[in-house]
Amino acid sequence: MLLPLRYRTCFDALYETYASPRYLDPDPVLFLHRYDTPEDVEVAGLLAACFAYGKVRQIQRSVEILLNILGPEPSGRLVGMPEEEFVPSSFPLRHRFTDPEETVALLRAIRLVLRRYGGLEPLFREGMNVPMEGEREILHTNRSVRAVRGVASFVRVLTQLGAVPPGRSRSSLLASPEKGSACKRLFLFLKWMVRRDAIDPGGWTCLYPSELVLPLDTHMFALCSAWGFCERRHPDLGAALEATRVFREINPEDPLRYDFVLTRFGIRPELSMEELCRKISDENNEEE
């Protein structure tokens, strides 16, 4: 089911109202606005996205602790960190399922990427055209194919570089589309890096905004299911691609334009889900 284009009027009105720095809190993207250099923005963005699971205030607390440890220039700090500092006692942070060992493993892998590639975008760019396992069924003729391939390759290389602690099969900080995951956190990171407006800092040129995939968490999945944007029963990669396809019908060049503003409802205390549904219902009634 495709959303009628008349809904774009309502979404654009919401965007004009809520796509403002005053609504950044408590979204983890607010941490990216602390930095001026692209290198620091992307490192802070990847870490903020990886820890963006659980309650929003817990996310804020964990990201705050981690970035404070890394200091005002997280990219340069990581590149120059001596090996003896990559120990759990240097990063005494526990975030839901994530323990200090996983944090250290991810940071060490990021350091290797920065040293070998000079940044995170070159690694992502390298993997965008590398087919991933099982993609034929999911990605056939899909406009987001390069984004999905890029994320799959990105995770694969980070894992090869040690982002998963020894003796473990996976990390709570990374998910891969090759496993069918919606990869909400990494597609969120990609949105921050590619789009540019008052919310998303942008800077990456490897993808067009039209190629991005909706960061589909349970909150957005509930919205998309209620509106008929996706028919799948679980918030997996297929559901994320279904919902993205509908948003691309609404705004072909920038389908994720409305992601931030729609997710303010139910997160900000003054913006309820009921209010959002009422706004959309009112818009439909006026058009009819």
Side-chain angles (χ1 to χ4, degrees):
M1 172 183 176
L2 293 181
L3 183 73
L5 288 180
R6 66 174 182 263
Y7 278 68
R8 177 167 177 168
T9 303
C10 180
F11 287 170
D12 280 337
L14 292 172
Y15 179 87
E16 294 301 324
T17 301
Y18 299 111
S20 164
R22 64 181 291 201
Y23 291 104
L24 282 174
D25 187 29
D27 197 285
V29 72
L30 66 87
F31 291 102
L32 283 63
H33 289 256
R34 295 180 176 181
Y35 304 98
D36 298 320
T37 68
E39 297 82 8
D40 290 329
V41 169
E42 66 177 15
V43 168
L46 179 58
L47 294 175
C50 286
F51 280 86
Y53 75 100
K55 295 182 179 180
V56 290
R57 293 304 176 188
Q58 183 184 21
I59 293 169
Q60 280 192 320
R61 175 185 172 276
S62 296
V63 177
E64 185 78 60
I65 291 173
L66 183 55
L67 292 179
N68 282 343
I69 293 173
L70 292 175
E73 298 178 351
S75 176
R77 173 83 171 103
L78 276 179
V79 170
M81 275 183 67
E83 183 61 29
E84 57 266 25
E85 291 190 28
F86 284 95
V87 292
S89 59
S90 295
F91 298 92
L93 168 64
R94 293 188 178 274
H95 178 86
R96 296 202 71 195
F97 312 120
T98 303
D99 57 26
E101 287 78 8
E102 286 185 315
T103 300
V104 168
L106 177 62
L107 292 173
R108 183 183 281 114
I110 293 173
R111 179 184 65 163
L112 290 174
V113 171
L114 297 178
R115 288 182 172 183
R116 295 182 185 184
Y117 293 85
L120 299 179
E121 185 181 13
L123 170 60
F124 189 90
R125 187 187 298 273
E126 183 179 89
M128 293 191 310
N129 296 312
V130 179
M132 73 174 200
E133 180 182 344
E135 75 169 37
R136 179 173 298 180
E137 296 79 7
I138 292 290
L139 292 177
H140 182 61
T141 70
N142 193 288
R143 193 169 179 182
S144 297
V145 61
R146 296 201 307 155
V148 178
R149 285 176 171 177
V151 166
S153 180
F154 193 77
V155 172
R156 194 182 310 123
V157 173
L158 283 173
T159 301
Q160 292 168 353
L161 293 177
V164 177
R168 305 189 191 186
S169 60
R170 61 181 296 274
S171 169
S172 63
L173 295 172
L174 296 171
S176 174
E178 288 186 304
K179 306 297 184 181
S181 169
C183 293
K184 170 256 180 176
R185 288 174 281 170
L186 287 174
F187 286 130
L188 179 64
F189 166 65
L190 199 56
K191 178 179 84 83
W192 292 341
M193 295 298 99
V194 173
R195 293 192 70 256
R196 185 188 293 275
D197 62 6
I199 304 301
D200 299 326
W204 282 18
T205 60
C206 56
L207 290 172
Y208 294 108
S210 60
E211 297 179 276
L212 294 171
V213 177
L214 184 72
L216 191 71
D217 58 8
T218 55
H219 179 71
M220 181 59 84
F221 178 66
L223 288 176
C224 290
S225 297
W227 294 336
F229 288 18
C230 58
E231 298 179 354
R232 297 173 75 94
R233 295 185 176 182
H234 303 286
D236 56 9
L237 177 62
L241 293 173
E242 274 186 346
T244 302
R245 197 173 295 120
V246 175
F247 278 106
R248 193 174 287 125
E249 288 288 328
I250 303 168
N251 192 324
E253 300 305 315
D254 191 9
L256 271 56
R257 170 180 168 90
Y258 313 110
D259 174 67
F260 176 83
V261 299
L262 292 176
T263 54
R264 296 312 87 202
F265 293 83
I267 294 178
R268 297 272 303 194
E270 76 277 20
L271 300 174
S272 68
M273 289 292 295
E274 291 76 11
E275 180 182 359
L276 175 61
C277 292
R278 179 182 56 77
K279 287 177 180 291
I280 293 177
S281 176
D282 289 348
E283 181 67 32
N284 274 333
N285 291 335
E286 288 179 10
E287 291 290 337
E288 292 173 358

